[in-house]
Each structure stands twice: as structure tokens, then as C-alpha cells.
Amino acid sequence: MSGLSEQLVDGLNASYGVHARSRAAHAKGVLCAATFTPTASASALSRAPHFAGPPVRAHVRFSNGSGNPTVPDSTRDARGMAVKFYLPDGGTTDIVAITLPVFFTRTPEDLIAFNQARRPDPATGEPDAAKVGAFLAEHPESVPAVTAAITHPTPASYAALTYHALHAFGFVASDDTVRYGRYHLVPDGGEEILDEEEAAGKPADYLRDELNDRLAGGPARFALDVQLGTADDPIDDPTAEWPPDREVVRMGTIDITGLAFDREGEGDVLVFDPTRVPDGIRLSDDKILLARPGAYSVSVTRRTSG
Ligand code: HEM
């Protein structure tokens, strides 16, 4: 019997197939160079070094949710935005976000069961609707994420979508006060969605091409926001959306300046891990959050061997 992390990656492989040298999820992506500039409110909420200023260098990787690296960009699916901040002391910290407002399950064990239920039937290549239906009947908390994924609009651009990091993190101020909040990455120009006819006419890699063209005209900007929870908002349940009326703190802006080619070459391994946090940011007891580094390590081992 393999461990939980292996089982999580095996579950992704069963849904998406095994693809050499590719991430087990979010296999197709575009790496970009970026700069993060914090606001004064960011340093009041958290003493983390990148919130203190001055601006820091960052990488942003946009991705499609699938573990298939050749998936056409118009496929209905979540999109990812992962940000790596290069800290003044030489360390790094990551934010890893997707376009769904909530995650599929509360626990890694339920995620394994969900991936089992949606495994494509070898005869049809499609998931068995009865199995997925039975899972959802037992797990009503999974319905919002599944609905959001299968009705996901086709984006005009990776840079014109809103991304959510889903887990709550504790933001620790210089006086040790801790407030829990959730990150949202909001595009400056709003969301841009294609209609069905426009989507049907797009080439397989249009999102990369669009980003390259867009950045030739100047940086693409995102706001980094933290939505603060109240005592009523669970900090360990990524399937539960928090009410939209919660206080939002603008932490800074991310300016994406161009495609980047300075990482992931010549044996360099780039991995974005949401539990890699500096002093000033704390993890919650969210079981999905805590299961991620183990699964990401297994994916890294598999994509860098053979
Ligand atoms: C237990 C739950 C989860 C599992 C097992 C899982 C699994 C994975 C794996 C195996 C990878 C590839 C890692 C690599 O090879 O570098 C990955 C990447 C990714 N995951 Fe997850 N994931 C989980 C939860 C989440 C959640 C909650 C989010 C969003 C908040 C998320 C967003 C992403 C994104 C955006 C990437 C791509 C990162 C990049 O560009 O390198 N995942 N995930």
C-alpha cells in the first residue's frame, strides 16, 4: 500500500494519464517574469519580508488545470496562477491559486475517492456520470467546485481572470496579532471571456500567444488582496466560500512584464508550494493545504526522473 502523497498523485495520473517530464496537475503552463510592490496596509497586516517593501522580483506561472501537457487551451477547466516571491534574505515564498471559488474536497482522502469516481471509463474515455453522481450525493460540499469546473468560461487571456488561493493563512503583525485571511489575485482590467463561437476558432496554444502579444504592449497588472475572515468563517475548509462582504486588504500589485526563460532549464526544478511561508504568515490546519507539499514532492520526483 503506497502512502497518501503517492495515492494523491496516482489519482491525478488516473484522470489525466502519465506524461513524462510533466507536472501531474497543471501540466501546461507559461512562466513569466514579474515584480511585486506592496502597499503600506500589507506591512500593517503582516510582518512578512516581501510586505515590508521595497518591490521584490517574482515569477508567475499561469497554467491549465489538467495533467495533460497538450490539452487545448479552450478546454473547460480551472486555470492556475502560481507566484514565487524572491525575498530579500535569498529565500522564497509562494502563492498558488486557481480560478475556482472553492476546492473539490475537505480532506485528501475524499480527493482520492473523488478522483476514483471521475476516472475515465476505458470504453468511452469519459467519466461515469453515475459514479460521479454517487460521490456528490455523499459529498454535497463538493458540488460547488464541480459545478464551477464544468461550467468554467473560456478565458480570452490568462491575465484577465481572477484567481483564488482558497486556503486561509494567518497574517502575523509586528505586535504578534494574527488575522486569518484568504488571497485573491484580481486582474486590473477585469475578466475577459470568449463566447462559444470565438472559443471554437482558437488554436490549441492561444493563451500563451495572447499573453506574449499582450505583454509586448506593456505589463499586465494584478492586485493581491486578502479577504479577512470573521469568527464565523472556517479557516480549515477550502470547500466553503466566505461571504463576499468581508473586509478586503489590498496587499500590493503584481506587474507581469514578459515571458520568462531563466528557470526550468538545465535541470533547474521550479515548484510552487503554498506551505512555503516566511515569518509573518502562518499555515492553518486545513487538511488539503497540509497534504499538498507531499503530493507536489512526489510529482517533482516523478517528473524529474527518467
Ligand atoms: C490535496 C490537494 C491537492 C493535490 C493532491 C494537488 C496536486 C498537485 C500536483 C501534483 C501538482 C504538480 C506539482 C509539481 O509537479 O510541481 C499541482 C500543481 C498545482 N496545483 Fe495542486 N493539488 C491540490 C490542491 C490544490 C489547490 C487547493 C489549489 C489552489 C488553491 C491548487 C493549485 C495548483 C496549481 C495552480 C498548480 C500549478 C503550480 C505550478 O504552476 O507549478 N492545487 N497540484
Side-chain angles (χ1 to χ4, degrees):
M1 186 75 183
S2 57
L4 186 70
S5 304
E6 282 80 8
Q7 288 179 51
L8 285 164
V9 176
D10 290 344
L12 291 165
N13 286 167
S15 294
Y16 299 128
V18 176
H19 304 276
R21 290 177 297 285
S22 290
R23 288 163 168 79
H26 296 265
K28 183 176 181 183
V30 189
L31 188 65
C32 300
T35 306
F36 172 69
T37 307
T39 59
S41 351
S43 56
L45 185 66
S46 164
R47 62 186 183 221
H50 54 311
F51 295 141
V56 297
R57 189 169 73 85
H59 273 114
V60 170
R61 184 175 180 269
F62 292 108
S63 57
N64 297 340
S66 170
N68 178 351
T70 58
V71 69
D73 287 347
S74 55
T75 305
R76 249 181 227 291
D77 200 359
R79 302 303 194 284
M81 178 174 176
V83 188
K84 185 175 293 291
F85 302 85
Y86 294 88
L87 303 177
D89 71 356
T92 57
T93 184
D94 302 336
I95 293 177
V96 190
I98 51 175
T99 45
L100 304 184
V102 280
F103 194 58
F104 296 98
T105 64
R106 280 189 196 124
T107 67
E109 291 79 8
D110 286 350
L111 187 62
I112 291 168
F114 172 63
N115 276 323
Q116 190 89 32
R118 72 175 177 140
R119 186 178 291 228
D121 180 331
T124 61
E126 295 293 326
D128 180 337
K131 285 187 184 159
V132 176
F135 178 88
L136 293 178
E138 273 192 35
H139 296 278
E141 75 278 10
S142 301
V143 172
V146 172
T147 307
I150 59 183
T151 59
H152 199 285
T154 309
S157 171
Y158 281 130
L161 290 171
T162 305
Y163 299 83
H164 316 278
L166 304 183
H167 310 290
F169 292 87
F171 294 91
V172 189
S174 5
D175 63 0
D176 291 333
T177 321
V178 184
R179 306 244 359 227
Y180 276 85
R182 287 177 167 180
Y183 291 114
H184 303 275
L185 289 150
V186 185
D188 229 28
E191 301 211 318
E192 294 171 37
I193 300 306
L194 301 180
D195 64 29
E196 270 185 37
E197 202 179 319
E198 289 168 327
K202 288 290 180 189
D205 300 331
Y206 78 92
L207 285 176
R208 182 188 186 94
D209 296 342
E210 191 281 341
L211 197 58
N212 202 19
D213 292 349
R214 178 181 290 249
L215 297 177
R221 176 169 284 192
F222 280 81
L224 175 65
D225 286 348
V226 167
Q227 176 192 22
L228 292 174
T230 69
D232 295 333
D233 301 326
I235 58 169
D236 59 355
D237 183 358
T239 67
E241 201 168 355
W242 288 356
D245 63 357
R246 297 295 185 251
E247 181 187 349
V248 171
V249 178
R250 180 133 301 178
M251 304 295 280
T253 50
I254 297 175
D255 284 303
I256 301 167
T257 48
L259 302 198
F261 304 93
D262 57 337
R263 298 243 20 207
E264 298 212 297
E266 295 173 11
D268 171 44
V269 178
L270 183 62
V271 54
F272 295 87
D273 173 356
T275 66
R276 196 189 326 243
V277 289
D279 176 57
I281 303 175
R282 267 189 209 165
L283 305 181
S284 53
D285 288 334
D286 179 331
K287 294 186 174 67
I288 290 291
L289 173 64
L290 301 179
R292 290 176 66 184
Y296 288 35
S297 290
V298 170
S299 173
V300 167
T301 302
R302 293 185 186 177
R303 69 180 161 93
T304 54
S305 58

